[in-house]
Structure formats: structure tokens, C-alpha cells
Amino acid sequence: MTCNPEWEEIKQELKPNQTSKARADLIARVFRAKLQDLKDLLYKKEIFGRIAAHVHIIEFQKRGLPHAHILIILHPHHKSSSPDEFDKYISAEIPDKEKHPDLYEMVSKHMMHGPCGKKNPTCPCMIEGKCRFHYPRQYSQQTTLGKDGYPIYKRLNNGRQVKTRKCGLDNRWVVPYSPYLLTRYSCHVNVEVCSGYKAVKYLYKYIYKGHDRVAVNIAHDEDANRIDEIKQFQDARWVSAQEAMWRIYEFELNQMHPAVINLQLHLSNKQSVAFWKG
């Protein structure tokens, strides 16, 4: 879930001629309020089913907007196992403009990838001439289980298109979403089903990968001075105004349930082991 700087709660608090970029405090507080509401829907109202465990972390884009990565693990009796059940919660298609005009506008604005590939070879997602997110996807008549732990969602070749960033995009460019959550929050909310150890392991790794970092060297005359990389490098990371406000307000950056206690492994008769009472 990514913050939308055009949220009405942010715009109505701006002064005349002021933009949301100038109000890092508003962006941080409104996004947290929306995130709390989303967590209530997932954890308390259990809109996707009864939850056995969950973990989430807050990150900040280079341009400053906060976003949350959330992984929920459902109880065995509440897990969706068939592709037909996936379609009840997740869509990867452009909605009918006549029947659902509001949802159509939100999908057009928030849930279209790219364009990349031949339409835009300089897109940041392009690596060695290919999109690292595998867009555009293939058309599919029905949702099926994929080999990598992610479903292949239904994407009909029904001729529907939206114009995004001066390009006409069809169902192959839609990022999977929950119609209910997208309508409720009007921001980028990517919702997907993941199954298989490979996918879950990647998601945990992605959540705990930490901040983007960079090694920097500063020299007045690179030709004249011999650079000692070990001695002169600086280990740095970018902190945006929105992240600074988030930390000033002491909002939590991550959460896990149930809590995990790391227990050490001891050889037989080598160490004493303490257990919690009961």
C-alpha cells in the first residue's frame, strides 16, 4: 500500500497554493491513519479470513512517499486454495467503465504498470531489455496456479484499454488488486495470493532487507589524489522529510504477530537453559 498525496484528507488541510510536498507531517499522519484502518480490516474484521500470523514494515520511496509491505498468513481452514476463490478477492483486469466508473478511474490512475518494454525502453523496471516484473503479462481465460508460487490471474482479451502516460494499456498491464480495498483507499494497493515456500521466503527476505544504502567517496582532484577506498568511504542512506516526521512522531516502522523469541542451541551438558514459567 502506497501513500496517495492527492487524498482529500491531505488536500483540505493545505494552505492556498501549497502542495503536499511541503507538508511531510500531513503525509505521515494521514498515511498512518489509513494504514491503521487497513490493519483493522485485515486483523480484526478479517475480510480475507482468520489470520494466524502477520508481519508488516514501513518503507519510504526516494521521493519520500511512505508505503507498507504486509504479509498475512491465514489459518488452514481459511486459506484460499482454488483459483476460483482467488477471483473472489483479487482482479487483474480493467473494470467496465459503464458499470463501475469510480473503480475504472482508480485502476487507470493507480494500478497500471509502466508502460515499459517497447513502449518505454528507459523505464526504471527495465533490466537488460526486459521488465523485471514481467510486464506485459499474457492474456489468460481463467485464473490458474503458477509454478513460482504466484497465481496466473485471469486477464481476458476483451478490448478494454485505458490511456496512461500517453499510452493505451490493456489488461496485460494491470497490477493485481482488491476492488474493495482500492475503492476504499484510492491509492496503489497491490494484493496477491502467494503459496509455496519459495514465494514466502522471498517475501520475508523482501520485508527485512533494510534500507537502500550507498558507499560514497569525495575527492577534490581525483587524478592527483590516490583514493584509499577503505579509509575515505562514507556509508550513507537517504532520509526523506516524510521519514523524518514518521520517526519524530514515533510511529512504528514494523510489527510482527505472534512475537518470535530467538532461542540459542546448546550442546548437551554444555550450557544451562532457562524457560519461561509455565
Side-chain angles (χ1 to χ4, degrees), residues 92-126:
E93 295 186 295
I94 300 170
D96 191 318
K97 188 175 182 180
E98 302 298 327
K99 295 182 179 179
H100 309 286
D102 292 339
L103 182 61
Y104 175 87
E105 291 297 326
M106 292 178 189
V107 171
S108 304
K109 186 175 181 180
H110 303 298
M111 304 309 300
M112 302 302 295
H113 175 79
C116 60
K118 295 180 180 179
K119 294 178 181 288
N120 183 14
T122 60
C123 188
C125 67
M126 297 293 291

Side-chain angles (χ1 to χ4, degrees), residues 27-45:
I27 287 180
R29 294 174 67 181
V30 172
F31 178 73
R32 180 178 181 270
K34 299 276 188 180
L35 181 63
Q36 291 296 104
D37 184 69
L38 174 62
K39 287 159 59 178
D40 286 343
L41 287 178
L42 297 176
Y43 307 156
K44 296 180 180 179
K45 297 182 180 179

